[in-house]
């Protein structure tokens, strides 16, 4: 186990120094690093598109069906079905109110995690636009991995700047039935890691919460600072990436 951890650290150090994509002197978007890390490690282990080809795919890869209808002249065409895989699920927050009165200025919008997950229940349909075409898509989870990663998209880029959505996500920490949310039976998970963002996009900071299974304690990590944290405090944060372990 110790040798494996040393190999992982050496691998990360080598690629970070070689590619110069990530610097220790400045913070970056963790979803960009996570995507790069999982795919790079998968390739370094001679992994392929098969689920069983590497420990990365075995641990994090799930399967889903994507149903797509192209819109032409305001009419949706025939539905096409695609079987695909995923290493994490992208959850969309509801848009924040454009106009606020005096009372709403002090109220932070909230949403339930199950509301975000309804995107993947095979029923909810959403319009997606490209520079020349419009599509209606719906997603149906068909298989869940041992470790499920949720990416909660908080930042949107418009013409002038990047805007952050501060909506609070209400979520349970243990015994979350993702199977019920996706309509695939009873599949329960426990939260084991939680990455959050504080402040505005420019000048904001990142923190991480991690569950230590040996002593059943949650810890908060920020740079080199580590401290214990109560699990109840996790629900008061603005989660950006969450990792769940299947029971």
């Amino acid at each position: 186990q110790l040798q494996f951890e040393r190999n992982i650290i050496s691998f990360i150090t080598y690629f970070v120094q070689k590619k110069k994509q990530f610097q220790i002197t400045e913070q970056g978007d963790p979803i960009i690093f996570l995507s790069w890390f999982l795919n790079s490690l998968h390739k370094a282990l001679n992994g392929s598109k098969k689920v069983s080809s590497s420990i990365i795919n075995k641990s994090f890869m799930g399967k889903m069906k994507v149903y797509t209808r192209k819109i032409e002249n305001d009419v949706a065409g025939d539905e096409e079905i695609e079987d695909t895989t995923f290493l994490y699920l992208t959850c969309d927050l509801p848009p924040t109110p454009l106009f606020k009165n005096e009372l709403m200025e002090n109220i932070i919008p909230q949403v339930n995690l199950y509301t975000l997950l309804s995107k993947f229940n095979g029923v909810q349909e959403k319009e997606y636009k490209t520079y020349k075409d419009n599509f209606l898509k719906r997603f149906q989870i068909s298989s869940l991995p041992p470790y499920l990663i949720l990416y909660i998209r908080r930042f949107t880029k418009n013409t002038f700047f990047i805007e952050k959505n501060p909506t609070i996500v209400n979520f349970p920490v243990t015994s979350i039935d993702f199977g019920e949310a996706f309509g695939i039976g009873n599949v329960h998970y426990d939260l084991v890691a939680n990455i959050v963002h504080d402040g505005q996009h420019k000048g904001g900071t990142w923190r991480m919460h991690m569950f230590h299974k040996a002593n059943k304690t949650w810890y908060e990590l920020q740079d080199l600072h580590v401290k214990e944290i109560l699990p109840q405090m996790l629900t008061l944060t603005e989660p950006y990436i969450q990792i769940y372990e299947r029971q």
Side-chain angles (χ1 to χ4, degrees):
Q1 177 68 27
L2 181 59
Q3 184 59 45
F4 176 77
E5 293 175 354
R6 289 174 176 171
N7 291 341
I8 293 296
I9 295 173
S10 298
F11 168 83
I12 296 174
T13 303
Y14 169 73
F15 274 96
V16 168
Q17 291 177 344
K18 182 179 180 181
K19 301 295 183 179
K20 295 183 179 180
Q21 289 180 275
F22 310 100
Q23 306 296 321
I24 62 174
T25 55
E26 59 183 70
Q27 293 190 342
D29 192 327
I31 193 61
I32 297 177
F33 176 80
L34 181 62
S35 300
W36 166 83
F37 175 69
L38 291 178
N39 284 286
S40 297
L41 187 56
H42 172 68
K43 292 178 180 178
L45 295 171
N46 297 319
S48 64
K49 294 183 179 181
K50 295 182 179 180
V51 175
S52 59
S53 61
S54 79
I55 188 63
I56 299 300
N57 281 5
K58 289 179 181 178
S59 300
F60 300 104
M61 180 172 282
K63 298 180 181 180
M64 73 165 68
K65 292 182 181 293
V66 181
Y67 301 84
T68 304
R69 295 192 294 160
K70 187 176 181 180
I71 302 176
E72 294 182 323
N73 300 322
D74 296 328
V75 178
D78 295 334
E79 193 169 61
E80 298 182 358
I81 305 175
E82 177 189 6
D83 290 307
T84 186
T85 58
F86 64 89
L87 288 177
Y88 61 83
L89 296 177
T90 301
C91 300
D92 304 315
L93 291 171
T96 54
L98 294 177
F99 304 100
K100 301 179 182 180
N101 57 30
E102 294 181 357
L103 294 177
M104 292 181 62
E105 287 181 357
N106 297 322
I107 300 176
I108 300 177
Q110 298 187 33
V111 65
N112 191 283
L113 177 63
Y114 289 101
T115 301
L116 303 184
L117 297 178
S118 64
K119 172 184 177 180
F120 305 100
N121 62 11
V123 177
Q124 189 178 94
E125 199 169 40
K126 184 178 179 180
E127 184 175 357
Y128 291 83
K129 298 181 179 181
T130 66
Y131 69 96
K132 64 176 182 178
D133 293 315
N134 293 351
F135 300 91
L136 287 175
K137 289 181 177 287
R138 58 189 180 96
F139 307 91
Q140 175 65 68
I141 299 296
S142 53
S143 177
L144 288 171
Y147 291 89
L148 179 63
I149 301 176
L150 300 183
Y151 159 48
I152 300 173
R153 182 157 43 192
R154 289 195 174 274
F155 302 108
T156 54
K157 187 175 182 180
N158 58 34
T159 306
F160 303 102
F161 55 88
I162 297 177
E163 184 178 11
K164 179 185 175 181
N165 188 327
T167 299
I168 296 294
V169 179
N170 297 316
F171 59 91
V173 177
T174 59
S175 297
I176 307 163
D177 192 350
F178 283 115
E180 180 183 359
F182 299 138
I184 58 173
N186 296 324
V187 186
H188 291 82
Y189 283 76
D190 295 326
L191 184 67
V192 293
N194 185 50
I195 298 175
V196 304
H197 184 267
D198 300 315
Q200 298 300 315
H201 174 262
K202 189 173 182 180
T205 57
W206 299 94
R207 291 179 291 142
M208 180 179 182
H209 304 122
M210 180 163 280
F211 182 64
H212 193 290
K213 293 182 68 174
N215 58 16
K216 295 181 171 55
T217 303
W218 277 95
Y219 291 94
E220 180 178 278
L221 299 84
Q222 186 171 21
D223 297 328
L224 298 178
H225 303 283
V226 180
K227 66 179 182 180
E228 290 188 21
I229 185 173
L230 295 174
Q232 300 92 311
M233 300 300 294
L234 272 63
T235 59
L236 303 178
T237 62
E238 299 176 14
Y240 188 69
I241 298 175
Q242 294 186 321
I243 302 178
Y244 291 86
E245 181 183 25
R246 188 166 59 196
Q247 290 182 351

